[in-house]
Amino acid sequence: MPAGVMVPARNMPSMISGNGNIGGFGTISGLSLGQPNNNMMEGQLHPFEMTQNTSESEIARMRDEEFDSALKSGSENHEGVSGEDDQDPRPNKKKRYHRHTQHQIQQMEAFFKECPHPDDKQRKELGRVLGLEPLQVKFWFQNKRTQMKTQHERQENSQLRAENEKLRADNMRYREALSTASCPNCGGPTAVGQMSFDEHHLRLENARLREEIDRISAIAAKYVGKPVVSYPLLSSPMTPRPLDFGSQTGSGEMYGTGELLRSINAPAEADKPMIIELAVAAMEELVRLAQMGEPLWMTSLDGSTTVFNEEEYIRTFPRGIGPKPTGFKCEASKETCVLIMNHISLVEILMDVQQWSTVFSAIVSKASTLDVLSTGIAGNYNGALQVMTAEFQVPSPLVPTRESYYVRYCKHHAEGTWAVVDVSLDNIRPNPAMRCRRRPSGCLIQEMPNGYSKVTWIEHFEVEDRGVHNLYKQLVSSGHAFGAKRWIATLDRQCERLASLMATNIPTGDAGVITNQDGRKSMLKLAERMVISFCAGVGASTAHTWTTLSGTGADDVRVMTRKSVDDPGRPPGIVLSAATSFWLPVSPKRVFDFLRDENSRNEWDILSNGGVVQEMAHIANGRDTGNCVSLLRVNSANSSQTNMLILQESCTDPTASFVIYAPVDIVAMNVVLNGGDPDYVALLPSGFAILPDGSSGSSGSGVADAGGSSGGSLLTVAFQILVDSVPTAKLSLGSVATVNNLIACTVERIKASLTCENA
């Protein structure tokens, strides 16, 4: 697990107590990987050791000393009292004073000029020379950097203030000149001085829009056969409409994109009229697909699923984007659901690539907007056209991703009814390496009372499914892996999550419920980043290069390494990711309930070392009791080891379930629970992705199974571990072997527990 990252926080009230209540207790110790230990046997992994940290009272004392010494250069400052002193009932107890010597400050100032970011070795050496603890040196440099940054920002603010005053004076001078200006023709007052700035700006904007509308209408009349006034070709990008779903690193850019998508650029000007024509036709097809019933959409015998009639589709839509390529098979699905979100908010999520990637992070491994052909009209997304690329995934390294190059088109059809359609652009720019394409897919959104929306989702893939592991072939071939049900279930769960974030009527009777609105928001945002990071690192995205390790007892374990540098949300160093997937003869619901329950955690979590796991606080974020963000405390069975905290999010819907967790620093979590910024809390998430196996009796985890007669589960186990805190270090084979044994032992423990339970 990741090494504990200490976040200094002066005068921060502790919120987590040693007895399981909100109070104060010791700091988290991190987990690190060293060289392999030959004592590993009988399921025990000794190379994972809890490192000893300085006590909380000493860290508080050092933190206060260094904060004041950096800002006051040696002036007297208070020293934090120890944990024993905190319990002293005397109210007016005098505090001791401490300050660095002038020599120590001068030496550290001189070193700071040469190296403001010393590493562990340099801090230890400097502390030895000056007679200081390495943590004292570390905090002094942190506070010195903060001081320098504050001074720099103060100087910049002063410069900007001066420039602002100068511009204001110039503006007033120009206004006076305009008010006294006269018309050269008639000698009367000029109209410019009488026209407001807003009115003048709107007149110019209206003239520009009128020209654009006329131009695009002429193009559309030539290629589509009728004037289209909803597509002003604007080159400026759409300003994102913020909706607080948090942030996803790189969601709008193509980091590590595969060769196929990397070779695709923005469309040429000559292609744009054809793209517009294709988008208009795709929108018409999507609306008809959403509204049609039999014989195009046939209901299964049990009434639980909708079956697509491909022959009827070909008769109804003979043109489209051309015939199905040889060797490709058709996957089409339709799903309808009522969601707890306003229809306009749903449109904004779908048309903003960052929000869309965040909401569907379990399905969209990466996405990018290559070009915006139209931003829409009337101040909304009506008529918006975007050329995009995306990569769709299943949360397992055993299923190849599906890459798509397509246009997304949004249209307002009637009062309270919108539609968003995607359609592949392969016929405009053919690529022989493309192994899938999307016929018109997307959703029809209808406004419902009380802020609800009715969404009908269509997914229509033509795909060549090579490279899918045998474990997942049945799930993928059934269409459930990438189908409409998975999209709509994911969206439904995210709408519930957002509703819980915005809720204000939090019940206060339950123990451990976080009622502080700012604290809830910060904790949910941190958990969201943890889930996104997990989903981005567990699939077979082209951004990853997995190496296979065989002979683990489970299916092949896939491992890869990453270097973390200057990422405030991830500890620096070499990170080793390991993942494997296997089948269990147990329903997804049973697997999910077992893995999320803190009382059964010591049955599979080797790193908890047999300690008792206790839930300290939680936030419910969905109808299902399994949808929850929890803060867990591991009370170590070994009294010499410090207790640790774990942030965990468990989420479930009828198509997939996740249990994702990461060890977190106690000081940092106190900041988050007080409503502080969670972006700088370092996380290395690990966890589980649970999918149905695709058999006829299999159901998602949202469906209860009384007698265990449902189908089996496909479970993906993934770990991220910091193996070296130096990013330039070499990865040792011992570290790989240790992680390999860790994941194999975890798999065996889960199999043993669930098989015995199911017997």
Side-chain angles (χ1 to χ4, degrees), residues 651-678:
C651 50
T652 181
D653 63 53
T655 63
S657 301
F658 297 88
V659 178
I660 301 167
Y661 60 91
V664 288
D665 177 62
I666 292 175
V667 177
M669 284 310 300
N670 278 326
V671 175
V672 171
L673 290 171
N674 278 324
D677 186 1

Side-chain angles (χ1 to χ4, degrees), residues 706-722:
S709 59
S710 297
S713 305
L714 296 171
L715 179 61
T716 296
V717 183
F719 290 104
Q720 291 189 69
I721 299 176
L722 186 70

Side-chain angles (χ1 to χ4, degrees), residues 12-69:
M12 177 62 62
S14 297
M15 298 186 63
I16 307 164
S17 70
N19 61 3
N21 298 320
I22 304 300
F25 64 89
T27 59
I28 179 174
S29 292
L31 291 170
S32 61
L33 276 175
Q35 295 301 317
N37 192 312
N38 294 328
N39 294 329
M40 184 185 305
M41 58 182 62
E42 298 181 3
Q44 301 298 321
L45 283 160
H46 301 288
F48 291 86
E49 299 177 354
M50 301 290 291
T51 58
Q52 297 300 312
N53 279 356
T54 308
S55 69
E56 184 180 52
S57 61
E58 293 173 347
I59 290 176
R61 173 177 59 79
M62 296 173 189
R63 183 165 58 246
D64 284 352
E65 288 172 6
E66 304 316 315
F67 187 88
D68 288 335
S69 65

